[in-house]
Amino acid sequence: MPGASHLELLTGNRLVALGALDAGCRFFSGYPITPSSEIYQTMMGELPARGGLALAAPDEITALAYCVGASLTGQKAMTATSGPGWCLMIETVQYAVMTETPVVIAVVQRLGPSTGGATQGAQGDVLLTQYCTSGSYTIPVLAPSNCRECYELTQAAFYWSERLRTPVILLSDKEVGMTSESVNLDSLNRWPVVERKPFSNNSARFRTYACDCLEDPPNFAAVGGRARVVATGSVHDQEGRLRKNAPEVLELLIHLQAKIDAHAAEIVLVEEEPCEDADLLIVSYGISARAGRAATRQLRAEGRRAAFLQIKSLFPVPKREIVRAAAGSKRVLVVEENLTGQYASVLEPIVGSDRLVRVNGIGHMITPGEILDRVETA
Amino acid sequence: MPGASHLELLTGNRLVALGALDAGCRFFSGYPITPSSEIYQTMMGELPARGGLALAAPDEITALAYCVGASLTGQKAMTATSGPGWCLMIETVQYAVMTETPVVIAVVQRLGPSTGGATQGAQGDVLLTQYCTSGSYTIPVLAPSNCRECYELTQAAFYWSERLRTPVILLSDKEVGMTSESVNLDSLNRWPVVERKPFSNNSARFRTYACDCLEDPPNFAAVGGRARVVATGSVHDQEGRLRKNAPEVLELLIHLQAKIDAHAAEIVLVEEEPCEDADLLIVSYGISARAGRAATRQLRAEGRRAAFLQIKSLFPVPKREIVRAAAGSKRVLVVEENLTGQYASVLEPIVGSDRLVRVNGIGHMITPGEILDRVETA
Amino acid sequence: MPGASHLELLTGNRLVALGALDAGCRFFSGYPITPSSEIYQTMMGELPARGGLALAAPDEITALAYCVGASLTGQKAMTATSGPGWCLMIETVQYAVMTETPVVIAVVQRLGPSTGGATQGAQGDVLLTQYCTSGSYTIPVLAPSNCRECYELTQAAFYWSERLRTPVILLSDKEVGMTSESVNLDSLNRWPVVERKPFSNNSARFRTYACDCLEDPPNFAAVGGRARVVATGSVHDQEGRLRKNAPEVLELLIHLQAKIDAHAAEIVLVEEEPCEDADLLIVSYGISARAGRAATRQLRAEGRRAAFLQIKSLFPVPKREIVRAAAGSKRVLVVEENLTGQYASVLEPIVGSDRLVRVNGIGHMITPGEILDRVETA
Amino acid sequence: MPGASHLELLTGNRLVALGALDAGCRFFSGYPITPSSEIYQTMMGELPARGGLALAAPDEITALAYCVGASLTGQKAMTATSGPGWCLMIETVQYAVMTETPVVIAVVQRLGPSTGGATQGAQGDVLLTQYCTSGSYTIPVLAPSNCRECYELTQAAFYWSERLRTPVILLSDKEVGMTSESVNLDSLNRWPVVERKPFSNNSARFRTYACDCLEDPPNFAAVGGRARVVATGSVHDQEGRLRKNAPEVLELLIHLQAKIDAHAAEIVLVEEEPCEDADLLIVSYGISARAGRAATRQLRAEGRRAAFLQIKSLFPVPKREIVRAAAGSKRVLVVEENLTGQYASVLEPIVGSDRLVRVNGIGHMITPGEILDRVETA
């Protein structure tokens, strides 16, 4: 049985690293922190053999700054951290947004706030990762629920990061990242490796932020190459010059959001277990999606008309898919491992407050049993 | 006319500083950044004469860390910054949340993301300040719209910070902070200066995080005093010992949210211009509230049944007041100077998507005329 | 016996702190490091009651920078560290030299290089403290050998630091700093508390670096006061403007050395145990001076013509006193706890290579017996 | 004329970089600072094509730390800086000394102290580079006087750094580093590329600091390889365990100096212009050696019996060569561009105070004329 020989026991963290390598990532910089450290270790160990560079940074600020710098030269770059390190990256991720620099940030969640619990899982960084910019620009956030998805969504993260020239966050968690699963590496789905659209009009002067339209990123020229590149975190015109409220400047800010919005439908990654005439929809993501799916199947086995929706692309919010999946349901349970229902608060205006039911908890993975209990009582 | 002699031309930033001084603030540390620097300068200049300490920090991380340290010894402490500095404080503000340490952070907004526009106003940090913790714990955010409110809300910020032992954010912006207005200092409303409830049972051993109930902060003993204090950013039991998923530990995390929720109704600060049988409600905050109020009055002058609600306490969200003010209105306009309608997204589940109308803009203060235009077209 | 009641058991570190307090030191900033931490702790504990400010710094760079900043405002300021922290201060001590800013740095030596041995004494930082500037400007270095001298030399350090507007290093060591001795506080000698000569000609414009003569520091105006002060670490003219090789600029560099040289004779602090017709001189400093003195007395008791010279002011080198004390001696033993004879290398050209004998050792206090052995064999 | 075709106009800084590349340097990290920046730029530009890594660091502390880290893995590593950056490296260079880690540090001198004059030459860092360790361990310091020597001494620096497992400083200056000279690259002398003696006894357990004798460095095993390496800046036994005053520990400290002393004679690099029956010796190094040589030749042309000695290996001090060259001379002039005669103070005990004449100056290159004037007047 040839295929069987490829089954390996691998953790989610390791598959994030392998996904990055296969996506063409050739630069990694990080500062180790539980529960993300295996990504760091794997990249340190395996990037050199792929011709890449893995760089220990003196702190998280420098780690992301190195990644952004490498990306400005055209490299595909990634860092990995957890909540306490993520906060320190927020200044630089904004610089990446403003300079339209692709970079993938794997955030492996642990229990917060502050240093919290290093070895306790959580899904508490949903809003902290999404609302990390002054101006609240949408940053794609992808959330895997198992090892296979760690690989595939990391690939997706690179795909969208490069295509839209934006930071993309892979939002994993301690349970997904540190649990070993049996994986057939040959069976994993790969995303195409994309390159930024290059600036090639050699007769023209390069203008760093000149867009053909608001919905697409500008053409790319590498820092250090022939063209003069102006990268700035300040508001700027198409040439990268700091100017105040000129219409061109404001248009470029609008563009930062518009390019994400324009591709929002394409970014959508959801997995549905539909049910005709469902009157109950269970929505979840990440580690909790496993419990959500199990609970749904149990309900179905009991003859209930329950559907399930796993959201892999948390942001931009897949509104249409959610509306469609929830159509007809009297109740929509949103299952997540945090205190207040972070993604539920995002879904609330979409599904309506009346039928939305939060299933939350901290300090342990939410179990199918807990969900079933809420189905009975909510 | 005796009162007239007290009229002074003062900026909002200066009134934040004066409000802090009158609230008993005796420690300030900061790193100057436009447009918040006048708060820094005023505190540097005037704190020493009040017997306090103003400390230039080498960076924003250290600035807030110093404030938290001073607060742990019992001082009332404040820092001031703008968006690019605020990101760097997010790690430490989580430590303040976890250790239940009072501290006031004045964030004077400018146009983002990244370094953005140093001298351009904005209301773009609403979500970045609120969703700054892993776990998404509610942090009170107060937003002044003029000089008087800068003074009063800074006082309110200290009041709630000390009472609930929590960071509180005063969310100002460039226009509010740097505009001079004529203010009669004698007419300003003062909040009572509160002290943390002290640990006083000398026969008992002090347990840093022992709460009588989930809804109130623990009693306070100053670091450096007689009692042994254990301050930790990690999950902990009542003694401050790092422990994993013990029920006591999780209960203390729940308590961090519960103490805010329990006092949410008291924290509410809104100002309403009601209108009987209003079919239109305009909601706004900060600098945009001025335009919102002016537009409402114009509509009323034209015979329209328009009401206005200024929200000063953005978080915890004053749901009841919003629901009541919006009752009967066919449309609820939310006016704010940012791209996507940040506070509107918070209000959407409360007022319902159907009648919510976003009035947004960046790069300039929103004018009454723009609001009136939307009233006609929305 | 009234005097007896004042005898207290105190460490050298504590007496450095008390000496600083009595010398008018009102600002301290530091980062704790063995074996200097008790200075830090004492200043933290006792400065506030004296109306001063003690400030925990995030690192040694910041610690000295704070002291220099405080001194620029007119405060007498001190920091304390050990070898691994001292290296990090070298950038800033040069800034103090260039800006003629008084500051006292207590360096409590431990075994190096690098982090070396935290709890092992040494006299290994003699050259590292003296040759800490690009250009090799003489910085006064004072070395106590016991608790009493810790107090008195710290006072001397402040005296010369303020009078000549220069950093002064108090070079203690682990044994001197951490050993408790019985001290009568009332019997300690005090140095006069001096103030910098103020700029007082209100009709003239203040020029930060205008000297009446090369041998004296300029008049002082505090940063933050009425006069405009220009403090710069770059080469500058009398106004503080960065200029290249103008004669005035080079003259100010010469002045930095000239002001020390001109007062070198006054700075001298030595303690001699003379011996008529001595043919042997033992020279030492710091902790080793105790063994040197004991060995000398032993030799004298045996009828040998041995003299002893303890050097308290290591730099500027008290040449005249050394030449005088060594006159007639056939051998000059220089006793110090380091590997290569650091101060011996400084004395070598003064006493001549032929008669100079190094008595060195590391890892333990040099004993009188070791010295006596070398007397026999050298 | 085939040779002529290879003449190129190159600066000293560029030849430092080329020398490093040809010496096998494959790792560079730095933070740009005038007048050393061209080394940084050249390494950034050319290392990748050689299969090496050039890494911009966030500060000088990190720059040297990265080099030390790379060297621990077996790479030949270099950084480059000037005085203000050198101070920040002193903590880490001590770690390199203690861990016996090869690294080359190019210090291109400018006028100090502090930030001093960025574009003004100087020879003021002689003592600051040599006396940079607690314990005053000898660190080889090599000083080029022209472009050719920049290349050759950089190669020598790598040779000795690797052979003795020690930091080596290439002490250049602004005039040498930034002046372009016509150089025939083919005619440059190359040093053999040496490798550290590897640990190869696979049957034995690796002990990081086990020396066969005090005079040679231990065998090397790369961090990240098969053997377990213990690198520590603290005093340690042969296994790398922190222990206090065990004889083995102290012996390893003695070894750090002994391995340099044992090879001091081999390290010597001097260039002499001898003169039979010379009664005058002119000694110099670096940029001033050019004036010294020119002055000597002028004196010889005038019939004076003057000899010249250029010292390329400043440390360890080539005593024997100096004594021999100075034998018979009534006067020994030491020419250097600093205020107090830094290297003269090192030579003073060797040649004797009576006949030593300092020829110093700051703010300009010393001219042959100045030297000739001193010959007449001294």
Side-chain angles (χ1 to χ4, degrees):
Chain A
M1 295 188 308
S5 66
H6 293 91
L7 276 180
E8 291 185 47
L9 257 187
L10 298 169
T11 63
N13 281 340
R14 186 159 172 80
L15 279 156
V16 167
L18 297 182
L21 292 168
D22 289 347
C25 174
R26 287 299 173 269
F27 185 87
F28 177 89
S29 182
Y31 188 90
I33 179 172
T34 302
S36 73
S37 299
E38 195 191 4
I39 301 175
Y40 174 98
Q41 287 158 342
T42 306
M43 295 305 274
M44 289 286 154
E46 308 200 1
L47 248 187
R50 303 268 193 139
L53 175 59
L55 185 55
D59 53 57
E60 284 91 349
I61 294 175
T62 308
L64 185 55
Y66 272 135
C67 291
V68 168
S71 182
L72 284 168
T73 71
Q75 295 286 323
K76 292 186 177 67
M78 179 171 81
T79 188
T81 188
S82 186
W86 162 245
C87 346
L88 291 165
M89 295 181 174
I90 291 179
E91 184 192 29
T92 307
V93 85
Q94 294 197 49
Y95 178 81
V97 167
M98 193 65 132
T99 56
E100 306 195 42
T101 305
V103 66
V104 172
I105 304 159
V107 177
V108 186
Q109 296 165 94
R110 64 193 231 185
L111 184 59
S114 195
T115 42
T119 57
Q120 294 163 269
Q123 296 182 296
D125 295 343
V126 172
L127 300 179
L128 181 56
T129 46
Q130 177 57 206
Y131 298 126
C132 65
T133 57
S134 181
S136 210
Y137 293 85
T138 300
I139 293 176
V141 177
L142 308 179
S145 74
N146 59 33
C147 288
R148 166 180 284 272
E149 290 172 14
C150 281
Y151 181 88
E152 293 173 356
L153 294 188
T154 300
Q155 297 234 332
F158 275 96
Y159 178 87
W160 287 113
S161 178
E162 296 289 326
R163 264 204 63 190
L164 300 181
R165 292 185 52 181
T166 177
V168 174
I169 291 165
L170 183 89
L171 190 65
S172 176
D173 63 69
K174 182 253 168 185
E175 307 296 352
V176 167
M178 297 184 69
T179 303
S180 293
E181 297 184 87
S182 179
V183 180
N184 182 341
L185 288 176
D186 293 340
S187 75
L188 297 172
N189 296 316
R190 298 205 177 178
W191 285 67
V193 174
V194 284
E195 305 298 333
R196 303 166 207 169
K197 202 172 148 197
F199 171 72
S200 52
N201 184 347
N202 288 321
S203 65
R205 190 156 59 86
F206 179 64
R207 293 180 302 150
T208 309
Y209 299 106
C211 302
D212 295 332
C213 66
L214 287 186
E215 289 75 18
D216 283 313
N219 292 339
F220 178 75
V223 166
R226 194 174 295 184
R228 180 171 166 274
V229 178
V230 180
T232 174
S234 294
V235 291
H236 49 259
D237 63 13
Q238 293 191 349
E239 311 248 359
R241 289 177 301 211
L242 197 162
R243 292 175 64 191
K244 286 190 64 171
N245 292 325
E248 185 179 321
V249 165
L250 298 177
E251 203 170 56
L252 282 179
L253 291 179
I254 290 165
H255 151 74
L256 295 178
Q257 182 63 35
K259 70 178 180 182
I260 307 293
D261 289 343
H263 296 83
E266 292 173 72
I267 298 172
V268 170
L269 288 166
V270 298
E271 205 170 300
E272 206 173 344
E273 301 214 356
C275 166
E276 218 171 325
D277 297 327
D279 62 0
L280 172 72
L281 174 68
I282 295 178
V283 180
S284 193
Y285 60 89
I287 187 66
S288 299
R290 295 173 164 217
R293 180 173 278 110
T296 309
R297 290 178 180 172
Q298 174 73 18
L299 288 167
R300 298 282 287 277
E302 295 170 5
R304 306 281 282 266
R305 299 199 308 278
F308 175 69
L309 182 69
Q310 179 192 350
I311 301 181
K312 297 177 180 174
S313 59
L314 293 177
F315 300 93
V317 181
K319 286 190 199 173
R320 219 171 46 158
E321 286 70 17
I322 292 162
V323 167
R324 193 163 46 199
S329 283
K330 292 192 188 105
R331 284 179 298 165
V332 178
L333 274 70
V334 183
V335 182
E336 51 192 325
E337 190 180 338
N338 56 45
L339 203 56
T340 54
Q342 297 188 19
Y343 201 64
S345 74
V346 172
L347 296 187
E348 193 170 355
I350 300 172
V351 302
S353 304
D354 294 345
R355 57 181 180 156
L356 186 130
V357 178
R358 285 169 159 88
V359 184
N360 303 132
I362 57 171
H364 67 283
M365 280 189 284
I366 293 173
T367 61
E370 289 177 272
I371 301 170
L372 295 171
D373 284 351
R374 290 303 301 279
V375 168
E376 301 311 320
T377 61
Chain B
M1 293 188 312
S5 66
H6 293 91
L7 276 180
E8 290 185 47
L9 259 186
L10 297 168
T11 63
N13 279 341
R14 186 158 172 80
L15 279 156
V16 168
L18 298 182
L21 292 169
D22 289 347
C25 175
R26 288 301 171 268
F27 185 87
F28 178 90
S29 183
Y31 189 89
I33 180 172
T34 301
S36 74
S37 299
E38 194 190 4
I39 301 175
Y40 175 98
Q41 287 158 342
T42 306
M43 296 305 274
M44 288 285 155
E46 307 200 3
L47 248 188
R50 303 267 194 142
L53 175 60
L55 185 55
D59 53 57
E60 283 90 350
I61 294 175
T62 309
L64 184 56
Y66 271 136
C67 290
V68 168
S71 182
L72 283 168
T73 71
Q75 295 285 324
K76 293 186 175 67
M78 179 170 81
T79 189
T81 189
S82 185
W86 164 244
C87 346
L88 291 166
M89 295 181 175
I90 290 179
E91 184 193 30
T92 308
V93 84
Q94 294 196 50
Y95 179 81
V97 168
M98 194 63 131
T99 57
E100 306 197 41
T101 306
V103 66
V104 171
I105 303 159
V107 177
V108 185
Q109 295 164 95
R110 63 192 231 186
L111 185 59
S114 195
T115 43
T119 57
Q120 294 163 270
Q123 297 182 295
D125 294 344
V126 171
L127 299 179
L128 182 55
T129 46
Q130 178 56 206
Y131 298 125
C132 64
T133 57
S134 180
S136 209
Y137 293 84
T138 300
I139 293 176
V141 177
L142 309 179
S145 73
N146 57 33
C147 288
R148 166 180 283 272
E149 290 171 15
C150 281
Y151 181 88
E152 293 172 356
L153 293 188
T154 301
Q155 297 234 330
F158 275 96
Y159 178 88
W160 287 113
S161 178
E162 296 289 326
R163 265 203 62 189
L164 299 181
R165 293 186 50 181
T166 178
V168 175
I169 290 165
L170 185 89
L171 190 65
S172 177
D173 63 69
K174 182 255 169 186
E175 307 297 350
V176 167
M178 296 185 69
T179 303
S180 292
E181 297 183 85
S182 179
V183 179
N184 182 338
L185 288 175
D186 293 340
S187 75
L188 299 172
N189 295 316
R190 299 204 175 179
W191 284 66
V193 174
V194 283
E195 304 299 333
R196 302 166 207 170
K197 201 171 148 198
F199 171 71
S200 52
N201 184 348
N202 288 321
S203 65
R205 192 156 58 87
F206 179 65
R207 293 180 302 150
T208 309
Y209 300 107
C211 302
D212 294 333
C213 66
L214 287 186
E215 289 76 18
D216 283 311
N219 293 339
F220 178 76
V223 165
R226 194 174 295 185
R228 180 169 166 276
V229 179
V230 180
T232 174
S234 293
V235 292
H236 50 258
D237 64 12
Q238 294 192 348
E239 311 247 359
R241 289 177 301 211
L242 197 162
R243 292 174 64 192
K244 286 190 62 170
N245 292 326
E248 185 179 321
V249 165
L250 298 176
E251 202 171 58
L252 282 180
L253 290 178
I254 290 164
H255 151 75
L256 295 178
Q257 182 63 34
K259 70 178 179 182
I260 306 293
D261 289 344
H263 296 84
E266 292 172 72
I267 297 172
V268 170
L269 287 168
V270 298
E271 206 170 300
E272 206 173 346
E273 301 212 358
C275 167
E276 218 168 327
D277 296 328
D279 62 0
L280 173 73
L281 174 69
I282 295 178
V283 179
S284 192
Y285 61 90
I287 187 66
S288 299
R290 294 174 167 216
R293 181 175 277 111
T296 308
R297 289 178 181 171
Q298 174 73 18
L299 288 166
R300 298 282 289 276
E302 296 168 5
R304 307 280 282 267
R305 296 200 311 279
F308 175 70
L309 182 69
Q310 178 191 354
I311 300 181
K312 297 177 180 174
S313 59
L314 294 177
F315 299 93
V317 182
K319 285 190 199 175
R320 221 171 45 156
E321 287 71 16
I322 292 162
V323 167
R324 192 162 48 199
S329 285
K330 294 192 187 103
R331 285 180 296 165
V332 178
L333 275 70
V334 183
V335 182
E336 52 191 325
E337 188 180 338
N338 56 45
L339 201 58
T340 53
Q342 296 189 19
Y343 201 62
S345 74
V346 172
L347 296 187
E348 192 169 354
I350 300 172
V351 303
S353 304
D354 295 343
R355 56 178 181 158
L356 186 131
V357 178
R358 285 170 160 86
V359 184
N360 302 134
I362 57 169
H364 67 282
M365 280 189 284
I366 293 172
T367 61
E370 289 177 272
I371 301 170
L372 295 172
D373 283 353
R374 290 302 301 280
V375 168
E376 301 311 320
T377 62
Chain C
M1 293 191 311
S5 65
H6 294 91
L7 278 179
E8 291 185 46
L9 258 186
L10 298 169
T11 64
N13 280 341
R14 185 158 172 81
L15 278 155
V16 168
L18 297 182
L21 291 168
D22 289 348
C25 175
R26 289 298 172 270
F27 185 87
F28 178 90
S29 183
Y31 189 89
I33 180 172
T34 301
S36 74
S37 299
E38 195 190 3
I39 301 175
Y40 174 98
Q41 287 157 341
T42 307
M43 295 305 274
M44 288 286 154
E46 307 200 2
L47 248 186
R50 303 267 194 141
L53 176 59
L55 185 55
D59 53 58
E60 285 90 351
I61 294 175
T62 309
L64 184 56
Y66 271 135
C67 290
V68 168
S71 182
L72 284 168
T73 71
Q75 295 285 324
K76 292 186 175 67
M78 180 170 80
T79 189
T81 188
S82 186
W86 163 245
C87 347
L88 291 167
M89 294 181 176
I90 291 179
E91 184 192 30
T92 307
V93 84
Q94 294 196 50
Y95 179 82
V97 167
M98 193 62 131
T99 56
E100 306 197 42
T101 305
V103 66
V104 172
I105 304 159
V107 178
V108 185
Q109 295 165 96
R110 64 192 230 185
L111 184 59
S114 194
T115 42
T119 57
Q120 293 163 269
Q123 296 182 295
D125 294 344
V126 172
L127 299 179
L128 181 55
T129 46
Q130 178 56 206
Y131 299 126
C132 65
T133 58
S134 181
S136 210
Y137 293 84
T138 300
I139 292 176
V141 176
L142 309 179
S145 74
N146 59 33
C147 288
R148 165 180 285 273
E149 290 171 16
C150 281
Y151 181 88
E152 293 173 357
L153 294 188
T154 301
Q155 297 235 329
F158 274 95
Y159 179 87
W160 287 113
S161 178
E162 296 288 326
R163 264 204 61 190
L164 300 180
R165 292 184 52 180
T166 178
V168 175
I169 290 165
L170 184 89
L171 190 64
S172 177
D173 63 68
K174 182 254 169 186
E175 306 296 352
V176 168
M178 295 184 70
T179 302
S180 292
E181 296 184 86
S182 178
V183 180
N184 182 340
L185 288 176
D186 293 339
S187 76
L188 298 172
N189 295 317
R190 300 208 174 174
W191 285 67
V193 174
V194 285
E195 304 298 334
R196 301 165 207 171
K197 202 171 147 197
F199 171 72
S200 53
N201 183 347
N202 288 321
S203 64
R205 191 157 57 87
F206 179 65
R207 293 181 302 149
T208 310
Y209 299 107
C211 302
D212 294 333
C213 66
L214 287 186
E215 290 75 18
D216 283 313
N219 293 339
F220 178 76
V223 165
R226 196 174 295 185
R228 181 170 164 275
V229 178
V230 180
T232 174
S234 294
V235 292
H236 50 258
D237 64 13
Q238 294 191 350
E239 311 247 0
R241 289 177 300 210
L242 197 161
R243 292 174 63 190
K244 287 189 64 171
N245 292 325
E248 185 178 320
V249 165
L250 299 176
E251 202 170 58
L252 282 180
L253 290 179
I254 290 165
H255 152 74
L256 294 179
Q257 181 64 34
K259 70 178 180 181
I260 307 293
D261 289 344
H263 297 84
E266 292 173 72
I267 297 171
V268 170
L269 287 168
V270 297
E271 205 169 300
E272 206 173 346
E273 300 213 357
C275 167
E276 221 170 325
D277 298 327
D279 62 359
L280 174 72
L281 174 68
I282 295 178
V283 180
S284 193
Y285 60 89
I287 186 66
S288 299
R290 294 172 165 219
R293 180 174 277 113
T296 309
R297 289 179 181 172
Q298 173 74 16
L299 289 166
R300 297 281 288 278
E302 295 169 7
R304 305 282 281 268
R305 297 202 307 280
F308 176 70
L309 182 68
Q310 179 193 351
I311 300 182
K312 297 176 180 173
S313 60
L314 293 177
F315 300 93
V317 182
K319 286 190 199 175
R320 217 170 48 155
E321 287 70 18
I322 292 162
V323 167
R324 193 162 48 199
S329 284
K330 295 192 187 104
R331 284 180 298 167
V332 177
L333 274 69
V334 183
V335 183
E336 51 193 324
E337 189 181 338
N338 55 45
L339 202 57
T340 55
Q342 297 190 19
Y343 201 63
S345 74
V346 172
L347 296 186
E348 193 170 354
I350 299 171
V351 302
S353 304
D354 294 344
R355 56 179 180 158
L356 185 130
V357 178
R358 285 170 160 86
V359 185
N360 301 132
I362 58 168
H364 67 284
M365 280 189 285
I366 293 172
T367 62
E370 288 177 90
I371 301 170
L372 294 172
D373 284 351
R374 290 302 300 279
V375 168
E376 301 312 320
T377 62
Chain D
M1 295 188 307
S5 66
H6 293 93
L7 277 180
E8 291 186 46
L9 259 185
L10 297 169
T11 63
N13 280 340
R14 185 158 172 80
L15 279 156
V16 168
L18 297 181
L21 291 169
D22 289 347
C25 175
R26 289 299 173 268
F27 185 88
F28 177 89
S29 183
Y31 189 91
I33 179 171
T34 302
S36 73
S37 299
E38 195 190 3
I39 301 175
Y40 174 98
Q41 286 157 342
T42 307
M43 296 304 273
M44 288 285 154
E46 307 199 4
L47 249 187
R50 303 266 195 140
L53 175 60
L55 185 54
D59 53 58
E60 284 90 350
I61 294 175
T62 309
L64 184 55
Y66 271 135
C67 290
V68 169
S71 182
L72 284 168
T73 71
Q75 296 285 323
K76 292 187 176 67
M78 180 171 79
T79 188
T81 188
S82 185
W86 163 245
C87 345
L88 291 166
M89 294 180 175
I90 291 179
E91 184 193 29
T92 307
V93 84
Q94 294 196 50
Y95 179 82
V97 168
M98 193 63 131
T99 56
E100 307 197 42
T101 305
V103 67
V104 172
I105 304 159
V107 177
V108 186
Q109 296 165 94
R110 65 192 230 185
L111 184 59
S114 195
T115 43
T119 57
Q120 294 163 269
Q123 296 182 296
D125 294 344
V126 172
L127 300 180
L128 182 55
T129 46
Q130 178 56 204
Y131 297 127
C132 65
T133 57
S134 182
S136 210
Y137 293 84
T138 299
I139 293 176
V141 176
L142 308 178
S145 75
N146 58 32
C147 287
R148 166 181 284 273
E149 291 171 15
C150 280
Y151 181 88
E152 293 172 357
L153 294 188
T154 300
Q155 296 233 332
F158 274 95
Y159 179 87
W160 287 113
S161 178
E162 295 289 326
R163 264 204 61 191
L164 300 180
R165 290 185 54 180
T166 177
V168 175
I169 290 164
L170 183 89
L171 190 65
S172 177
D173 62 68
K174 181 254 169 185
E175 307 296 352
V176 168
M178 296 184 68
T179 303
S180 292
E181 297 185 87
S182 179
V183 180
N184 182 339
L185 287 176
D186 292 340
S187 75
L188 298 173
N189 295 317
R190 299 207 175 176
W191 285 66
V193 174
V194 284
E195 304 299 333
R196 304 166 206 170
K197 201 170 146 198
F199 171 72
S200 53
N201 184 346
N202 288 320
S203 65
R205 191 156 57 87
F206 179 64
R207 293 180 302 148
T208 309
Y209 300 107
C211 303
D212 294 333
C213 66
L214 287 186
E215 290 75 18
D216 283 312
N219 293 340
F220 178 76
V223 166
R226 194 174 295 184
R228 180 171 166 275
V229 179
V230 180
T232 173
S234 293
V235 292
H236 50 258
D237 63 13
Q238 294 191 349
E239 311 247 359
R241 288 176 302 210
L242 198 162
R243 292 175 63 190
K244 286 190 65 171
N245 292 325
E248 185 179 321
V249 166
L250 299 175
E251 203 170 55
L252 281 180
L253 290 179
I254 290 164
H255 151 74
L256 295 178
Q257 181 63 35
K259 70 179 179 181
I260 306 294
D261 289 344
H263 297 83
E266 293 173 74
I267 298 171
V268 169
L269 288 166
V270 298
E271 206 170 298
E272 206 174 345
E273 301 214 357
C275 166
E276 219 170 327
D277 297 328
D279 63 358
L280 173 73
L281 174 68
I282 295 178
V283 180
S284 193
Y285 60 91
I287 187 65
S288 299
R290 295 172 165 220
R293 180 175 278 111
T296 308
R297 290 177 181 174
Q298 174 73 17
L299 288 167
R300 298 282 287 278
E302 295 168 7
R304 307 281 283 267
R305 301 200 306 280
F308 175 70
L309 182 69
Q310 177 192 353
I311 301 181
K312 296 176 180 174
S313 60
L314 294 178
F315 299 94
V317 181
K319 286 191 198 173
R320 220 170 47 155
E321 288 70 17
I322 292 162
V323 167
R324 192 161 48 198
S329 285
K330 293 192 189 106
R331 284 180 297 167
V332 178
L333 273 69
V334 183
V335 183
E336 51 193 323
E337 188 180 338
N338 55 45
L339 201 58
T340 54
Q342 296 188 21
Y343 200 63
S345 73
V346 172
L347 296 186
E348 192 169 357
I350 300 171
V351 302
S353 304
D354 295 345
R355 57 180 181 156
L356 185 131
V357 178
R358 285 170 160 86
V359 185
N360 303 133
I362 57 169
H364 67 283
M365 279 188 285
I366 293 172
T367 62
E370 288 177 273
I371 300 171
L372 295 172
D373 284 352
R374 289 303 301 280
V375 169
E376 301 310 321
T377 61

